[in-house]
Amino acid sequence: MSGSVDAHLDWSPGGGRYELAKAIRAAIRDGRWRPGDVVPSTRALARDLGLARGTVTKVYTDLAAEGYLRTGQGAPTRVATAGAEALAAPRPGGRAEPAHRWTLMPGRPDPSLFPREQWLAATRRVLQHTPTESFGYGDPRGSLVLRTTLSAYLGRSRGVLADPARMVICAGFSHALTVLGRALGDIGITETAFEDPSVVRFRSLAAAAGQRVVGVPVDGLGLRVSSLASPAVVVTPAHQSPLGVTMAPARRTALARSGAVVVEDDYDGEFRFDRQQVGALQALNPEKVIYAGSASKTLSPSLRLGWLVLPRSLVDPVVAALSLSGARPPTLDQLTLADLISSGGYDRHVRRARLEYRGRRDRLVAALPSGLTPRGISAGLHLVIPLSAAVEAAVPVAARRHSLEIATVGSQRIGVGDGVGGVIVGYGAPPKHAFAPAVEVLLAMLRGL
Ligand SMILES: Cc1ncc(COP(=O)(O)O)c(C=O)c1O
């Protein structure tokens, strides 16, 4: 059982909503408010700090959206488990070895599939043939060679209308969110909606970049566009992360025409197994939809390579924010990726990886006990096994007992959602040899729940 927090906060009388949120974030990051702990009631904290209760409620709602707290109807508010662990500062003297023997963590490709030989050959070609100018600082938007190559690739593979002049290369989607958060702020947009549920880390990055984060529910047809009231929204329309549903055509059209700036996170669009490819939402309204892609699933998250295709009006603010972020992926890696794509090696690798992940998904689904039917389409590197909220609550302890690293839908929620929980099985994460035993461990854990 977790306890309740020692309510100590670094707090000076006279502070307001912003200071309170900052103090609570610091208490969670420093480990004074620990994952799972019940936090003080809004009434008690408001009284102790001399604030209006509505102010404290607002701060709790914001921190839940950022992934620091878990709120639930009728349940006490707690420090979030997965989010808080991810956000906590590393402890000095922390263990270097992995905390789990098995992993089925969502959001990760099999690191053993990385095409080392092809990457090496592409690097060699780049080093032999690239002009000396490539070793300077280069264009702040990223290598023109990569932007031109990606523009053709995204057009043919995902139906994106990608003019290289409107593209920027960034250090993955995470960096893109930091840059976009700032750029949107610079043009007066300070609130960004995220799907509920969605990846906690991304919500935290948007919040750290100055955006107020709010949740919009997801149902079987994707984001509930009619509930969207923010000027900007981040969505995963091809394969909702984590629930795995595809956004229905009418909702895609409604979202593209909603007037909001839409960030289309196309994180695993290459991995659709049922041959029903859904093209990018961006093509429906390139002046409102930002297309975001990343090499993290197709190749490796270690590359830190991602790209944005921008509406014309956002190019200058985004390039300015990108320059001010002080980070840029190495030009040599950008050129190597461009070479891999134009030589056909990237397509061959994606086809091989698609076959591997599709096989894993099929084997996993076949191994599930009858009665457990995964939610969502046949695609990507993860699936959700629906569980009641009560069963889901037992997953973190059971997983720890089995030395299995795995996530739950509840850990990615902002509000209470539709009340259906589940376990998110990242079948892409283990190296090939560890996939079958990891599934065995998962089944043993599910039997014990
Ligand atoms: C939903 C989603 N979008 C995007 C990404 C890629 O993020 P990045 O490019 O920062 O590695 C991931 C990876 O975990 C993801 O799960």
Side-chain angles (χ1 to χ4, degrees):
M1 275 296 286
S2 345
S4 59
V5 295
D6 158 13
H8 173 76
L9 291 171
D10 291 327
W11 174 257
S12 341
R17 182 173 141 199
Y18 175 76
E19 285 75 19
L20 178 59
K22 199 169 149 199
I24 296 178
R25 281 192 210 101
I28 293 174
R29 282 207 213 94
D30 300 348
R32 281 176 284 131
W33 286 27
R34 289 165 311 161
D37 280 352
V38 173
V39 306
S41 70
T42 50
R43 188 191 304 273
L45 195 58
R47 193 187 49 228
D48 289 353
L49 302 181
L51 290 169
R53 188 171 171 199
T55 304
V56 178
T57 306
K58 194 90 198 51
V59 167
Y60 278 12
T61 308
D62 287 351
L63 292 179
E66 290 174 27
Y68 285 89
L69 300 179
R70 283 271 305 130
T71 52
Q73 247 161 14
T77 300
R78 291 177 185 271
V79 179
T81 322
E85 273 162 11
L87 299 163
R91 289 178 195 287
R95 287 186 310 170
E97 73 267 26
H100 304 87
R101 174 139 190 238
W102 309 105
T103 183
L104 286 169
M105 207 56 186
R108 298 185 195 164
D110 174 352
S112 72
L113 294 185
F114 186 78
R116 292 180 191 234
E117 290 302 321
Q118 291 96 315
W119 189 263
L120 184 63
T123 306
R124 192 170 286 126
R125 284 193 295 271
V126 166
L127 285 174
Q128 276 166 348
H129 300 298
T130 198
T132 42
E133 290 82 55
S134 298
F135 298 94
Y137 278 105
D139 190 319
R141 288 171 293 184
S143 149
L144 179 60
V145 178
L146 177 58
R147 286 186 283 125
T148 309
T149 309
L150 275 173
S151 135
Y153 171 78
L154 295 172
R156 81 175 148 80
S157 70
R158 304 292 300 126
V160 179
L161 304 173
D163 172 356
R166 291 201 199 183
M167 295 178 71
V168 294
I169 309 299
C170 48
F173 185 62
S174 315
H175 184 216
L177 277 175
T178 300
V179 169
L180 285 173
R182 299 249 159 82
L184 291 174
D186 288 344
I187 60 164
I189 295 181
T190 54
E191 180 178 288
T192 298
F194 277 74
E195 293 163 311
D196 184 4
S198 55
V199 175
V200 176
R201 184 165 48 92
F202 295 150
R203 304 197 305 253
S204 309
L205 284 168
Q211 293 292 313
R212 182 170 129 69
V213 172
V214 298
V216 175
V218 171
D219 60 24
L221 303 177
L223 182 92
R224 242 188 260 154
V225 179
S226 57
S227 305
L228 174 66
S230 305
V233 58
V234 178
V235 276
T236 47
H239 186 222
Q240 206 275 329
S241 168
L243 298 180
V245 297
T246 303
M247 190 182 278
R251 294 225 181 142
R252 286 164 57 92
T253 312
L255 182 60
R257 291 186 184 152
S258 66
V261 173
V262 178
V263 182
E264 175 179 22
D265 174 11
D266 195 35
Y267 66 110
D268 67 2
E270 287 88 351
F271 297 123
R272 177 103 196 212
F273 310 138
D274 55 8
R275 298 204 180 84
Q276 293 184 27
Q277 277 288 341
V278 177
L281 180 69
Q282 184 262 3
L284 296 181
N285 191 352
E287 296 307 333
K288 276 292 180 186
V289 182
I290 300 167
Y291 176 87
S294 160
S296 290
K297 299 288 195 290
T298 49
L299 286 169
S300 160
S302 70
L303 292 174
R304 305 318 300 139
L305 274 171
W307 40 90
L308 294 175
V309 182
L310 297 160
R312 200 185 309 276
S313 62
L314 277 174
V315 174
D316 287 344
V318 168
V319 173
L322 189 59
S323 300
L324 286 175
S325 78
R328 218 193 280 175
T331 307
L332 274 181
D333 288 344
Q334 297 185 44
L335 292 171
T336 304
L337 176 60
D339 181 284
L340 196 66
I341 296 172
S342 51
S343 66
Y346 187 77
D347 282 62
R348 279 194 297 279
H349 170 70
V350 166
R351 269 199 299 277
R352 242 193 331 268
R354 192 187 293 133
L355 271 181
E356 172 67 24
Y357 295 134
R358 176 188 186 159
R360 290 188 191 191
R361 189 181 196 281
D362 289 349
R363 275 178 276 156
L364 170 61
V365 172
L368 290 177
S370 59
L372 284 187
T373 311
R375 206 168 168 175
I377 58 166
S378 180
L381 276 60
H382 74 270
L383 57 74
V384 167
I385 302 174
L387 300 172
S388 71
V391 175
E392 184 201 79
V395 168
V397 171
R400 220 168 296 131
R401 203 176 314 119
H402 285 87
S403 200
L404 174 66
E405 186 187 24
I406 201 159
T408 60
V409 173
S411 70
Q412 301 200 353
R413 284 234 184 261
I414 298 174
V416 281
D418 58 6
V420 181
V423 66
I424 314 170
V425 186
Y427 49 81
K432 267 186 181 185
H433 68 271
F435 172 68
V439 168
E440 283 308 313
V441 170
L442 169 73
L443 295 175
M445 183 195 83
L446 290 172
R447 276 193 299 272
L449 285 175

